[in-house]
Amino acid sequence: MVINSILTSPSSPGGESPSRPQASENPRRPLPELYVDRLLARARTTGALKNDKPFAVKGIGLVIGNASLTFFSDNRLLYLSSRLRNDRVKELVKRISSVIINRLQHPSKHIMAEVVPSGSKGGVKENPKDVFTFTDRAEANANIKLYFEQIHPFYSFLDQKEFKEMALAPDFPGRLAQNKAIYALYYAVVALGCQTGTGGRFEPGKGRAWQFLARAFAIFPDLLALPDSLDVLQAMTALAIYSLNISCLAIEHFILSEATRRAQNLSRANLSGKARAAYHRTFWVLYTIEKITNFHFGRNSLFVDHDIVVPIPTVPDAIIGDLDWFLVTARYARLLSKAMTSLFSIAGTDDPKAYYLAIIDQCENELEQWRMSIPANIRPGEPYRTHAIQGALLRLAALRIHLYYNSFKLSLCRATLHLAANTSNVVSQARQAESTRVMMETSRSVLELTAFIDVEPNTSLWIMAGIPVVALFILFDLVVTNPKHAGTATNLALLDMAGGHFSRIEYASGGSLPGSLIGEFAHIAREYVNTIKSEEILNQPLEKQSSAQPKSLPGSSNSLNQTGPQPRADGESRIPTLLSSPPSLEPTQVSDGLVFDGNVDLPLDDTLLFPINDRYFEMDDEIPIGTDIMDLFNSAMPGLDPFFNQMMGDGI
């Protein structure tokens, strides 16, 4: 931790204070000026900012917000209809919107009955008369074992030995009845273990794991009323971990916010010994969860980083192979936090655009430093070789690290392109081209990794759906904007792979999560490219048609044939492929002199455009109107969504 200090000069021998330099007309301001400072300073003056909007880099959230790639506004649909020359995307989004409305407004059953049954607080549906009915101990112990084997290494906030001794103690049922925080913690841990096994479901209110979770949720209003304590914080943390999966998406924000508030409040408590060590573990687990989740949702973090003095403990249970998971993910969370508070916020500097470019440079450098701190055999940015990674836990940890790395890299690339689109002479053309190329390669890497993602109820939203769907839409936009690019055939193949992944989600969820609708974007992109290819062939002279040699990905009958105009008269040589193909796919062949259809003066491999600066992507900042595709994974929880209003009322 770096502590800022003020150094003063020693007094002179004669006791006289050192001479002060005269204040300059423009003294250096050590405190940064924010945009709100300008608003206040110029309020009710002739120099008021009025309707002038501050410049900011959009895209803070990969999945939520005006600039989200999963958000389809009317303007964006208009742009796509113009590019595709049809309304296929508009019709698909309309169908998706209808499904979302049906899911959120007309749930199949009242989830509230599963979460807080009628009767006393803490009761379960089967035993409403007993406030603290103790469940089958053998089943609970088996689930606790699963929790510490599969979940605990990634969220090591509990003392494994201490918790197991407590749970196996003969007097434990009586202790549960006396301590509501321990009661909620215990059943949240049992629910997490059960979900990891065979008791999890994608839908809220279903499955054996949810029955255990219902016991913890039943006394959640009581936890809110209890004073800050380590037991309450740990119970909140266990519930926050469970809320990371799809079934709890509707209540995730409330639980995580309350847990974060408790974690910061408890920093002022006088803890010692084991309690102090447990608090340190719990604090950093919550910090990591909250920063990663809020970054992807595009929400401001509730943790105040400049107030944090909690040391990072050494956690042997979180060391997986040669990877210190606890420390690596905490450092990643801090990287995201820096970006949230600097890059994706309103700048008050006189030259905000140059400021943002400098911040992007710093974020990229620190991301690279973080990458290099990870063991070489699982290092992101390099091929994910599952066969070379020993152990299921290390393979899962490596997969998450690769996806986290690619996610932040995509955010920085999009920030660079947005900055370039809204400025002049700030981002060079070479850097714009490089950012677009890196964005394509990174999206490809994400979609290749979908083959290794476990489509299970306990897989977090970001790993299973959030990051992959963003990569899918990046490649979709690139294909639609650059249908003749050398990398299009590879991109189409990976879009098909992504469509298969989301169809797996639909199959695994029994149809409750209609992921196959997302896969239809891949079909639209392929049909568009085939149409462009056919029109190009028809428009060629007959002699060129007969000599054309279509080339495509081996084994793909629908891949883009890489044919195009003959080389230009100036004797332009063969153009190399702009992007290297992923290891699992063979390189795409490129015809001589193939050009991008938007500008015939530029060779194809010199032109790769991403439509981030198109006017059709502009929308109101305050209340964007449109459809967010990610809502396909949300579910209504009557009486509970969004802020436990009914749970905190008199009707419990």
Side-chain angles (χ1 to χ4, degrees):
M1 180 186 65
V2 178
I3 300 177
N4 295 325
S5 59
I6 301 176
L7 301 180
T8 58
S9 302
S11 301
S12 60
E16 297 178 0
S17 59
S19 60
R20 286 186 179 180
Q22 292 185 353
S24 61
E25 294 182 359
N26 296 307
R28 183 176 178 272
R29 298 166 62 94
L31 291 177
E33 182 185 38
L34 302 181
Y35 187 77
V36 66
D37 296 321
R38 296 187 177 186
L39 287 175
L40 293 170
R42 301 184 188 180
R44 301 183 183 88
T45 66
T46 56
L49 298 177
K50 297 181 180 180
N51 295 326
D52 293 340
K53 290 187 177 181
F55 179 81
V57 176
K58 294 182 181 180
I60 181 177
L62 281 180
V63 191
I64 302 295
N66 316 19
S68 167
L69 287 170
T70 66
F71 186 83
F72 283 80
S73 65
D74 291 342
N75 287 336
R76 187 178 182 189
L77 292 175
L78 182 61
Y79 164 78
L80 290 171
S81 294
S82 175
R83 289 291 308 177
L84 297 170
R85 292 172 291 177
N86 60 52
D87 289 332
R88 289 284 306 280
V89 171
K90 183 177 181 180
E91 293 168 359
L92 175 57
V93 171
K94 185 177 180 180
R95 287 165 52 204
I96 291 174
S97 178
S98 178
V99 171
I100 291 171
I101 291 173
N102 185 64
R103 285 172 58 82
L104 297 182
Q105 295 185 358
H106 304 94
S108 58
K109 63 185 298 184
H110 291 285
I111 307 301
M112 191 63 185
E114 294 284 348
V115 179
V116 185
S118 58
S120 301
K121 296 179 183 179
V124 293
K125 198 170 184 179
E126 297 83 359
N127 301 282
K129 295 181 181 180
D130 193 341
V131 177
F132 290 106
T133 302
F134 194 68
T135 190
D136 176 47
R137 202 158 190 177
E139 181 186 8
N141 290 341
N143 289 325
I144 291 172
K145 183 174 183 292
L146 277 175
Y147 169 84
F148 282 106
E149 291 174 350
Q150 303 295 327
I151 305 296
H152 178 68
F154 298 101
Y155 307 102
S156 302
F157 70 98
L158 292 175
D159 184 309
Q160 182 174 176
K161 180 181 178 182
E162 184 178 298
F163 186 89
K164 286 183 175 179
E165 288 177 351
M166 176 187 70
L168 295 175
D171 63 342
F172 183 60
R175 183 177 179 183
L176 280 185
Q178 300 300 321
N179 191 322
K180 293 179 179 179
I182 293 294
Y183 181 91
L185 171 62
Y186 175 78
Y187 278 110
V189 168
V190 172
L192 283 164
C194 183
Q195 186 188 53
T196 303
T198 59
R201 297 294 184 272
F202 287 96
E203 293 181 85
K206 294 186 177 181
R208 181 61 171 159
W210 193 276
Q211 293 178 2
F212 290 124
L213 187 69
R215 295 170 178 261
F217 273 151
I219 61 169
F220 192 85
D222 293 335
L223 296 184
L224 296 176
L226 291 175
D228 295 323
S229 69
L230 180 60
D231 288 343
V232 172
L233 177 62
Q234 290 185 327
M236 295 282 188
T237 302
L239 291 172
I241 293 171
Y242 198 102
S243 73
L244 297 178
N245 63 65
I246 288 177
S247 66
C248 286
L249 183 58
I251 57 176
E252 161 272 329
H253 190 203
F254 180 81
I255 295 175
L256 191 55
S257 298
E258 178 62 18
T260 299
R261 185 184 69 82
R262 297 274 184 167
Q264 293 185 109
N265 288 349
L266 209 58
S267 66
R268 297 184 290 270
N270 187 20
L271 301 175
S272 60
K274 289 185 176 181
R276 181 177 178 83
Y279 168 69
H280 292 170
R281 291 193 305 270
T282 307
F283 178 93
W284 282 106
V285 166
L286 268 175
Y287 177 91
T288 302
I289 292 173
E290 198 261 2
K291 293 293 184 181
I292 293 175
T293 301
N294 282 342
F295 178 84
H296 288 96
F297 268 125
R299 301 185 306 228
N300 290 324
S301 171
L302 297 181
F303 273 104
V304 183
D305 286 35
H306 61 254
D307 283 341
I308 294 176
V309 295
V310 179
I312 300 180
T314 300
V315 185
D317 288 354
I319 296 177
I320 308 172
D322 294 329
L323 174 69
D324 189 340
W325 171 265
F326 196 96
L327 180 58
V328 163
T329 52
R331 286 174 172 170
Y332 175 77
R334 175 58 184 149
L335 279 179
L336 300 186
S337 182
K338 289 181 181 180
M340 291 273 285
T341 56
S342 56
L343 179 58
F344 299 114
S345 62
I346 305 298
T349 63
D350 292 329
D351 190 4
K353 297 168 185 179
Y355 162 83
Y356 283 129
L357 185 61
I359 296 298
I360 291 173
D361 289 338
Q362 180 178 340
C363 287
E364 289 179 342
N365 291 334
E366 293 190 13
L367 179 62
E368 177 62 16
Q369 293 173 12
W370 177 81
R371 186 184 78 88
M372 294 303 296
S373 72
I374 296 169
N377 63 323
I378 60 171
R379 185 171 294 155
E382 299 176 9
Y384 176 76
R385 297 186 177 92
T386 181
H387 61 278
I389 303 174
Q390 300 296 321
L393 285 180
L394 186 57
R395 283 193 293 271
L396 179 56
L399 177 64
R400 292 182 181 182
I401 285 174
H402 277 247
L403 288 170
Y404 286 156
Y405 170 79
N406 290 330
S407 170
F408 192 31
K409 202 169 184 180
L410 288 175
S411 293
L412 294 178
C413 287
R414 291 186 64 216
T416 303
L417 293 178
H418 176 79
L419 185 63
N422 291 273
T423 61
S424 59
N425 303 320
V426 174
V427 183
S428 67
Q429 291 185 353
R431 180 158 184 175
Q432 294 177 47
E434 176 67 8
S435 294
T436 308
R437 182 190 66 82
V438 170
M439 188 166 62
M440 176 183 276
E441 288 183 336
T442 304
S443 298
R444 287 176 166 185
S445 297
V446 169
L447 297 189
E448 286 181 336
L449 291 172
T450 58
F452 306 104
I453 296 175
D454 290 330
V455 180
E456 298 290 345
N458 66 309
T459 302
S460 72
L461 170 70
W462 306 115
I463 299 299
M464 185 163 60
I467 298 173
V469 80
V470 168
L472 181 148
F473 282 125
I474 286 176
L475 288 191
F476 176 80
D477 283 340
L478 286 171
V479 167
V480 170
T481 308
N482 309 270
K484 298 180 183 179
H485 191 271
T488 294
T490 298
N491 292 341
L492 287 173
L494 288 168
L495 285 174
D496 289 339
M497 182 184 295
H501 170 71
F502 287 102
S503 293
R504 283 170 56 208
I505 294 177
E506 180 168 334
Y507 174 77
S509 65
S512 64
L513 301 174
S516 62
L517 289 172
I518 296 177
E520 292 191 28
F521 284 94
H523 301 313
I524 293 174
R526 184 173 290 279
E527 287 184 7
Y528 172 63
V529 170
N530 287 338
T531 299
I532 295 295
K533 177 187 65 176
S534 299
E535 291 177 352
E536 184 180 63
I537 294 175
L538 290 174
N539 292 333
Q540 287 179 346
L542 292 177
E543 61 273 13
K544 290 187 178 181
Q545 290 186 36
S546 60
S547 62
Q549 297 293 329
K551 301 172 183 179
S552 63
L553 280 176
S556 177
S557 59
N558 293 326
S559 296
L560 170 62
N561 292 335
Q562 301 294 329
T563 59
Q566 296 298 317
R568 294 187 290 185
D570 58 3
E572 181 181 60
S573 60
R574 180 179 179 84
I575 303 168
T577 303
L578 177 63
L579 299 177
S580 59
S581 298
S584 58
L585 299 171
E586 299 208 9
T588 304
Q589 300 290 335
V590 185
S591 298
D592 292 345
L594 193 60
V595 297
F596 171 63
D597 64 335
N599 186 344
V600 295
D601 294 328
L602 293 175
L604 173 145
D605 287 336
D606 290 342
T607 308
L608 180 63
L609 303 181
F610 188 73
I612 200 166
N613 61 334
D614 197 286
R615 64 184 180 88
Y616 292 122
F617 279 78
E618 296 178 357
M619 61 193 76
D620 293 335
D621 291 332
E622 289 78 16
I623 309 176
I625 299 175
T627 300
D628 194 332
I629 305 300
M630 280 302 294
D631 281 335
L632 280 172
F633 302 101
N634 205 348
S635 297
M637 301 179 73
L640 198 154
D641 176 31
F643 296 118
F644 289 90
N645 290 330
Q646 295 295 326
M647 290 182 67
M648 292 183 285
D650 296 328
I652 300 177

